[in-house]
Coordinates of all heavy atoms in Angstrom, one line a residue:
M26 N -46.3 -11.4 -34.1 CA -47.6 -11.1 -34.5 C -47.6 -10.0 -35.6 O -46.8 -9.0 -35.5 CB -48.4 -10.6 -33.3 CG -49.8 -10.2 -33.6 SD -50.6 -9.7 -32.1 CE -52.1 -9.1 -32.7
S27 N -48.4 -10.2 -36.6 CA -48.4 -9.2 -37.7 C -49.8 -8.7 -37.9 O -50.8 -9.5 -37.7 CB -47.8 -9.8 -39.0 OG -48.7 -10.8 -39.4
L28 N -50.0 -7.5 -38.3 CA -51.3 -7.0 -38.7 C -51.5 -7.2 -40.1 O -50.7 -7.0 -41.0 CB -51.3 -5.5 -38.3 CG -51.1 -5.1 -36.9 CD1 -51.1 -3.6 -36.7 CD2 -52.3 -5.7 -36.0
E29 N -52.8 -7.6 -40.5 CA -53.1 -7.8 -41.8 C -54.1 -6.7 -42.3 O -54.8 -6.1 -41.5 CB -53.8 -9.1 -42.0 CG -53.0 -10.3 -41.6 CD -53.7 -11.6 -41.7 OE1 -54.5 -11.8 -42.6 OE2 -53.5 -12.5 -40.8
S30 N -54.0 -6.3 -43.5 CA -54.9 -5.3 -44.1 C -55.9 -6.0 -45.0 O -55.5 -6.7 -45.9 CB -54.1 -4.3 -44.8 OG -55.0 -3.4 -45.4
H31 N -57.2 -5.8 -44.7 CA -58.3 -6.3 -45.6 C -59.3 -5.2 -45.8 O -59.6 -4.5 -44.8 CB -58.9 -7.5 -44.9 CG -58.0 -8.7 -44.7 ND1 -57.7 -9.6 -45.6 CD2 -57.4 -9.1 -43.5 CE1 -56.9 -10.5 -45.1 NE2 -56.7 -10.2 -43.9
P32 N -59.8 -5.1 -47.0 CA -60.8 -4.1 -47.2 C -62.1 -4.5 -46.5 O -62.6 -5.6 -46.7 CB -61.0 -4.1 -48.7 CG -60.5 -5.4 -49.2 CD -59.5 -5.8 -48.2
G33 N -62.6 -3.7 -45.6 CA -63.8 -4.0 -44.9 C -65.0 -3.3 -45.7 O -64.9 -2.3 -46.3
T34 N -66.1 -4.0 -45.6 CA -67.4 -3.5 -46.2 C -68.5 -3.7 -45.2 O -68.3 -4.4 -44.2 CB -67.7 -4.1 -47.5 OG1 -67.9 -5.5 -47.3 CG2 -66.7 -3.9 -48.6
W35 N -69.6 -3.0 -45.4 CA -70.7 -3.2 -44.5 C -72.0 -3.0 -45.3 O -72.0 -2.5 -46.3 CB -70.6 -2.2 -43.3 CG -70.7 -0.8 -43.7 CD1 -69.8 0.0 -44.2 CD2 -71.9 0.0 -43.7 NE1 -70.2 1.3 -44.4 CE2 -71.6 1.3 -44.2 CE3 -73.2 -0.2 -43.3 CZ2 -72.5 2.4 -44.2 CZ3 -74.2 0.8 -43.4 CH2 -73.8 2.1 -43.9
T36 N -73.1 -3.6 -44.7 CA -74.4 -3.5 -45.2 C -75.4 -3.1 -44.1 O -75.0 -3.3 -42.9 CB -74.9 -4.8 -45.9 OG1 -74.9 -5.8 -44.9 CG2 -74.0 -5.2 -47.1
Y37 N -76.5 -2.6 -44.4 CA -77.5 -2.3 -43.4 C -78.9 -2.7 -44.0 O -79.2 -2.4 -45.1 CB -77.6 -0.8 -43.1 CG -78.7 -0.5 -42.1 CD1 -78.5 -0.9 -40.8 CD2 -79.8 0.2 -42.5 CE1 -79.5 -0.6 -39.8 CE2 -80.8 0.4 -41.6 CZ -80.7 0.1 -40.2 OH -81.7 0.3 -39.3
D38 N -79.6 -3.5 -43.2 CA -81.0 -4.0 -43.6 C -82.0 -3.2 -42.7 O -82.1 -3.5 -41.6 CB -81.1 -5.5 -43.4 CG -82.4 -6.0 -43.8 OD1 -83.4 -5.3 -44.0 OD2 -82.5 -7.3 -43.9
P39 N -82.7 -2.2 -43.3 CA -83.6 -1.4 -42.5 C -84.8 -2.3 -42.0 O -85.3 -2.0 -40.9 CB -84.1 -0.3 -43.4 CG -83.7 -0.8 -44.8 CD -82.6 -1.7 -44.7
E40 N -85.2 -3.3 -42.7 CA -86.3 -4.1 -42.3 C -85.9 -4.9 -41.0 O -86.7 -5.1 -40.1 CB -86.8 -5.1 -43.4 CG -87.6 -4.4 -44.4 CD -88.2 -5.4 -45.4 OE1 -88.5 -6.6 -45.0 OE2 -88.3 -5.0 -46.6
A41 N -84.7 -5.4 -41.0 CA -84.3 -6.2 -39.8 C -83.7 -5.3 -38.8 O -83.5 -5.7 -37.6 CB -83.2 -7.2 -40.3
G42 N -83.4 -4.0 -39.1 CA -82.7 -3.1 -38.2 C -81.3 -3.7 -37.8 O -81.0 -3.6 -36.6
A43 N -80.6 -4.2 -38.8 CA -79.3 -4.8 -38.5 C -78.3 -4.3 -39.5 O -78.5 -4.2 -40.7 CB -79.4 -6.3 -38.5
A44 N -77.1 -4.1 -39.0 CA -75.9 -3.8 -39.8 C -75.0 -5.0 -39.8 O -74.9 -5.7 -38.8 CB -75.2 -2.5 -39.3
Y45 N -74.2 -5.2 -40.9 CA -73.3 -6.3 -40.9 C -71.9 -5.7 -41.4 O -71.9 -5.1 -42.5 CB -73.7 -7.4 -41.7 CG -72.9 -8.7 -41.5 CD1 -73.2 -9.6 -40.5 CD2 -71.8 -9.0 -42.3 CE1 -72.5 -10.7 -40.2 CE2 -71.0 -10.1 -42.0 CZ -71.4 -10.9 -41.0 OH -70.6 -12.0 -40.7
I46 N -70.9 -6.0 -40.7 CA -69.5 -5.5 -41.1 C -68.7 -6.7 -41.5 O -68.6 -7.7 -40.7 CB -68.8 -4.8 -39.9 CG1 -69.7 -3.6 -39.4 CG2 -67.4 -4.3 -40.3 CD1 -69.3 -3.1 -38.1
Y47 N -68.3 -6.7 -42.8 CA -67.5 -7.8 -43.3 C -66.0 -7.4 -43.1 O -65.5 -6.5 -43.7 CB -67.7 -8.0 -44.8 CG -69.1 -8.4 -45.1 CD1 -70.1 -7.5 -45.3 CD2 -69.5 -9.8 -45.3 CE1 -71.4 -7.8 -45.6 CE2 -70.8 -10.1 -45.6 CZ -71.8 -9.2 -45.7 OH -73.0 -9.6 -46.0
L48 N -65.3 -8.2 -42.3 CA -63.9 -7.8 -41.9 C -62.9 -8.4 -43.0 O -61.8 -7.8 -43.1 CB -63.6 -8.4 -40.6 CG -64.4 -7.8 -39.4 CD1 -64.0 -8.4 -38.1 CD2 -64.3 -6.3 -39.4
R49 N -63.2 -9.4 -43.7 CA -62.3 -10.0 -44.6 C -62.9 -10.1 -46.0 O -62.6 -11.1 -46.7 CB -61.8 -11.4 -44.1 CG -61.1 -11.3 -42.8 CD -60.6 -12.6 -42.4 NE -59.6 -12.5 -41.5 CZ -58.3 -12.8 -41.7 NH1 -58.0 -13.3 -42.8 NH2 -57.4 -12.6 -40.8
G50 N -63.8 -9.2 -46.4 CA -64.4 -9.3 -47.7 C -65.6 -10.2 -47.7 O -66.1 -10.6 -46.6
P51 N -66.2 -10.6 -48.8 CA -67.4 -11.4 -48.9 C -67.2 -12.7 -48.2 O -66.1 -13.3 -48.2 CB -67.6 -11.6 -50.4 CG -66.8 -10.5 -51.0 CD -65.7 -10.2 -50.1
I52 N -68.2 -13.2 -47.5 CA -68.2 -14.5 -46.8 C -68.9 -15.5 -47.7 O -70.1 -15.3 -48.0 CB -68.8 -14.4 -45.4 CG1 -68.1 -13.4 -44.6 CG2 -68.8 -15.8 -44.7 CD1 -68.7 -13.0 -43.3
P53 N -68.2 -16.5 -48.1 CA -68.9 -17.5 -49.0 C -69.9 -18.3 -48.2 O -69.8 -18.4 -47.0 CB -67.7 -18.4 -49.4 CG -66.7 -18.3 -48.4 CD -66.8 -16.9 -47.8
A54 N -70.8 -18.9 -48.9 CA -71.8 -19.8 -48.3 C -71.1 -20.9 -47.5 O -70.1 -21.5 -47.9 CB -72.7 -20.5 -49.3
G55 N -71.5 -21.0 -46.2 CA -70.8 -22.0 -45.3 C -69.5 -21.5 -44.7 O -68.8 -22.2 -44.0
G56 N -69.2 -20.2 -45.0 CA -67.9 -19.7 -44.5 C -67.9 -19.3 -43.0 O -66.9 -19.2 -42.4
V57 N -69.1 -19.2 -42.4 CA -69.2 -19.0 -41.0 C -69.4 -20.3 -40.3 O -70.3 -21.0 -40.4 CB -70.5 -18.1 -40.6 CG1 -70.6 -17.9 -39.1 CG2 -70.3 -16.7 -41.3
A58 N -68.3 -20.6 -39.4 CA -68.4 -21.9 -38.7 C -69.2 -21.8 -37.5 O -69.9 -22.8 -37.1 CB -66.9 -22.3 -38.3
R59 N -69.2 -20.6 -36.8 CA -70.1 -20.4 -35.6 C -70.3 -19.0 -35.4 O -69.5 -18.1 -35.8 CB -69.6 -21.2 -34.4 CG -68.3 -20.6 -33.8 CD -67.9 -21.4 -32.6 NE -66.6 -20.9 -32.1 CZ -66.4 -20.4 -30.9 NH1 -67.4 -20.4 -30.0 NH2 -65.3 -20.0 -30.5
S60 N -71.3 -18.6 -34.7 CA -71.6 -17.2 -34.3 C -71.6 -17.2 -32.7 O -72.1 -18.1 -32.1 CB -72.9 -16.8 -34.8 OG -72.9 -16.7 -36.2
V61 N -71.1 -16.1 -32.2 CA -71.0 -15.9 -30.8 C -71.7 -14.6 -30.5 O -71.4 -13.5 -31.1 CB -69.5 -15.8 -30.3 CG1 -69.5 -15.5 -28.8 CG2 -68.8 -17.0 -30.7
S62 N -72.7 -14.6 -29.5 CA -73.4 -13.4 -29.2 C -72.7 -12.7 -28.0 O -72.2 -13.4 -27.1 CB -74.8 -13.8 -28.7 OG -75.6 -14.3 -29.8
A63 N -72.6 -11.4 -28.1 CA -72.0 -10.6 -27.1 C -73.0 -10.6 -25.9 O -74.2 -10.9 -26.1 CB -71.7 -9.2 -27.5
E64 N -72.6 -10.2 -24.8 CA -73.4 -10.2 -23.6 C -74.7 -9.4 -23.7 O -75.7 -9.8 -23.2 CB -72.6 -9.6 -22.4 CG -73.0 -10.2 -21.1 CD -72.0 -9.8 -20.0 OE1 -70.9 -10.3 -20.0 OE2 -72.4 -9.1 -19.1
D65 N -74.7 -8.3 -24.4 CA -75.9 -7.5 -24.6 C -76.8 -8.0 -25.6 O -77.9 -7.5 -25.8 CB -75.5 -6.0 -24.8 CG -74.8 -5.8 -26.1 OD1 -74.7 -6.8 -26.9 OD2 -74.3 -4.7 -26.4
A66 N -76.5 -9.0 -26.4 CA -77.3 -9.7 -27.4 C -77.6 -8.8 -28.6 O -78.4 -9.2 -29.4 CB -78.5 -10.3 -26.8
L67 N -77.0 -7.6 -28.7 CA -77.2 -6.8 -29.8 C -76.0 -6.9 -30.8 O -76.0 -6.3 -31.9 CB -77.4 -5.3 -29.4 CG -78.6 -5.1 -28.6 CD1 -78.7 -3.6 -28.1 CD2 -79.9 -5.4 -29.3
V68 N -75.0 -7.7 -30.5 CA -73.8 -7.8 -31.3 C -73.5 -9.3 -31.4 O -73.5 -10.0 -30.4 CB -72.6 -7.1 -30.7 CG1 -71.4 -7.4 -31.5 CG2 -72.9 -5.6 -30.6
N69 N -73.4 -9.8 -32.6 CA -73.0 -11.2 -32.9 C -71.7 -11.2 -33.7 O -71.5 -10.4 -34.6 CB -74.0 -11.9 -33.7 CG -75.3 -12.0 -32.9 OD1 -75.3 -12.5 -31.8 ND2 -76.4 -11.6 -33.5
L70 N -70.7 -12.0 -33.3 CA -69.5 -12.2 -34.0 C -69.5 -13.5 -34.8 O -69.8 -14.5 -34.2 CB -68.3 -12.2 -33.0 CG -68.2 -11.0 -32.0 CD1 -67.1 -11.3 -31.1 CD2 -68.0 -9.7 -32.8
D71 N -69.2 -13.4 -36.1 CA -69.1 -14.6 -36.9 C -67.7 -15.0 -37.0 O -66.8 -14.2 -37.3 CB -69.7 -14.4 -38.3 CG -71.3 -14.3 -38.2 OD1 -71.9 -14.8 -37.2 OD2 -71.8 -13.7 -39.2
L72 N -67.4 -16.3 -36.8 CA -66.0 -16.8 -36.8 C -65.9 -17.9 -37.9 O -66.8 -18.6 -38.2 CB -65.7 -17.4 -35.5 CG -65.8 -16.5 -34.3 CD1 -67.0 -16.8 -33.5 CD2 -64.5 -16.6 -33.5
D73 N -64.7 -18.0 -38.5 CA -64.4 -19.0 -39.4 C -64.0 -20.3 -38.7 O -64.0 -20.3 -37.5 CB -63.4 -18.6 -40.5 CG -62.0 -18.3 -39.9 OD1 -61.7 -18.7 -38.8 OD2 -61.2 -17.8 -40.7
E74 N -63.6 -21.3 -39.5 CA -63.2 -22.6 -38.9 C -62.0 -22.5 -37.9 O -61.8 -23.4 -37.1 CB -63.0 -23.6 -39.9 CG -61.8 -23.4 -40.8 CD -62.0 -22.4 -41.9 OE1 -63.2 -22.0 -42.2 OE2 -61.0 -22.0 -42.6
T75 N -61.2 -21.5 -38.1 CA -60.0 -21.3 -37.2 C -60.3 -20.4 -36.0 O -59.4 -20.2 -35.2 CB -58.8 -20.7 -38.0 OG1 -59.1 -19.4 -38.3 CG2 -58.4 -21.5 -39.2
G76 N -61.5 -19.9 -35.9 CA -61.9 -19.1 -34.7 C -61.6 -17.6 -35.0 O -61.7 -16.8 -34.1
T77 N -61.2 -17.2 -36.2 CA -61.0 -15.8 -36.5 C -62.3 -15.1 -36.8 O -63.1 -15.6 -37.5 CB -60.1 -15.7 -37.8 OG1 -58.8 -16.4 -37.5 CG2 -59.8 -14.3 -38.2
V78 N -62.5 -13.9 -36.2 CA -63.7 -13.1 -36.5 C -63.6 -12.6 -37.9 O -62.7 -12.0 -38.3 CB -63.8 -11.9 -35.5 CG1 -65.0 -11.1 -35.8 CG2 -63.8 -12.4 -34.1
I79 N -64.7 -13.0 -38.7 CA -64.7 -12.6 -40.1 C -65.9 -11.6 -40.3 O -66.0 -11.0 -41.4 CB -64.9 -13.8 -41.0 CG1 -66.1 -14.7 -40.7 CG2 -63.6 -14.6 -41.0 CD1 -66.3 -15.8 -41.6
G80 N -66.8 -11.4 -39.4 CA -67.9 -10.5 -39.5 C -68.5 -10.2 -38.2 O -68.4 -10.9 -37.2
I81 N -69.2 -9.0 -38.2 CA -69.8 -8.5 -37.0 C -71.2 -8.1 -37.4 O -71.4 -7.2 -38.3 CB -69.1 -7.3 -36.3 CG1 -67.6 -7.7 -36.0 CG2 -69.8 -6.8 -35.1 CD1 -66.7 -6.5 -35.7
E82 N -72.2 -8.6 -36.7 CA -73.6 -8.2 -36.9 C -74.0 -7.3 -35.7 O -73.8 -7.7 -34.5 CB -74.5 -9.4 -37.0 CG -76.0 -9.0 -37.2 CD -76.9 -10.2 -37.2 OE1 -76.7 -11.1 -36.4 OE2 -77.8 -10.2 -38.0
I83 N -74.6 -6.1 -36.0 CA -75.0 -5.2 -35.0 C -76.5 -5.0 -35.2 O -77.0 -4.6 -36.3 CB -74.3 -3.9 -35.1 CG1 -72.8 -4.1 -35.0 CG2 -74.9 -2.9 -34.0 CD1 -72.0 -2.8 -35.3
I84 N -77.3 -5.4 -34.2 CA -78.8 -5.4 -34.3 C -79.3 -4.1 -33.6 O -79.3 -4.1 -32.3 CB -79.4 -6.6 -33.8 CG1 -78.8 -7.9 -34.5 CG2 -80.9 -6.6 -33.9 CD1 -79.1 -9.2 -33.8
A85 N -79.6 -3.1 -34.3 CA -80.1 -1.9 -33.8 C -80.7 -1.0 -34.9 O -80.1 -1.0 -36.0 CB -79.0 -1.1 -33.0
A86 N -81.7 -0.3 -34.6 CA -82.3 0.5 -35.6 C -81.4 1.7 -36.0 O -80.7 2.2 -35.1 CB -83.7 1.0 -35.2
W87 N -81.4 2.1 -37.2 CA -80.5 3.2 -37.7 C -81.1 4.5 -37.0 O -82.3 4.7 -37.0 CB -80.7 3.3 -39.2 CG -79.6 4.1 -39.8 CD1 -79.7 5.4 -40.2 CD2 -78.3 3.7 -40.2 NE1 -78.5 5.9 -40.7 CE2 -77.7 4.8 -40.8 CE3 -77.6 2.5 -40.1 CZ2 -76.4 4.8 -41.2 CZ3 -76.3 2.5 -40.6 CH2 -75.7 3.6 -41.1
P88 N -80.2 5.3 -36.5 CA -80.7 6.5 -35.8 C -81.2 7.6 -36.8 O -80.4 8.2 -37.5 CB -79.5 7.0 -35.1 CG -78.3 6.5 -35.8 CD -78.8 5.2 -36.4
G89 N -82.5 7.6 -37.0 CA -83.0 8.6 -37.9 C -83.1 8.0 -39.4 O -82.8 6.9 -39.6
P90 N -83.6 8.9 -40.3 CA -83.7 8.4 -41.7 C -82.3 8.0 -42.3 O -81.3 8.7 -42.1 CB -84.2 9.6 -42.4 CG -84.7 10.6 -41.4 CD -84.0 10.2 -40.1
A91 N -82.3 6.9 -42.9 CA -81.1 6.4 -43.6 C -80.8 7.3 -44.8 O -81.7 7.5 -45.6 CB -81.3 4.9 -44.0
S92 N -79.6 7.7 -44.9 CA -79.2 8.6 -46.1 C -78.1 7.9 -46.9 O -77.2 8.5 -47.3 CB -78.7 9.9 -45.6 OG -77.6 9.8 -44.7
L93 N -78.3 6.6 -47.1 CA -77.3 5.8 -47.9 C -77.7 6.0 -49.3 O -77.8 5.6 -50.2 CB -77.3 4.4 -47.4 CG -76.9 4.2 -45.9 CD1 -77.0 2.8 -45.5 CD2 -75.5 4.8 -45.6

């Protein structure tokens, strides 16, 4: 098993109250084969066609005023 290094990025949508973490860079249109919801339903994992997690969506309001 080897570890891979990929630059991660993230976005936050204050209207939706959701953050998205891109684990392997930008995801092209159609790049998410399926999404899996965590048990608490506040976290969704996006997987590619091989089942690799490529993004994480966290649905929760930002704590306090956003200072981005």
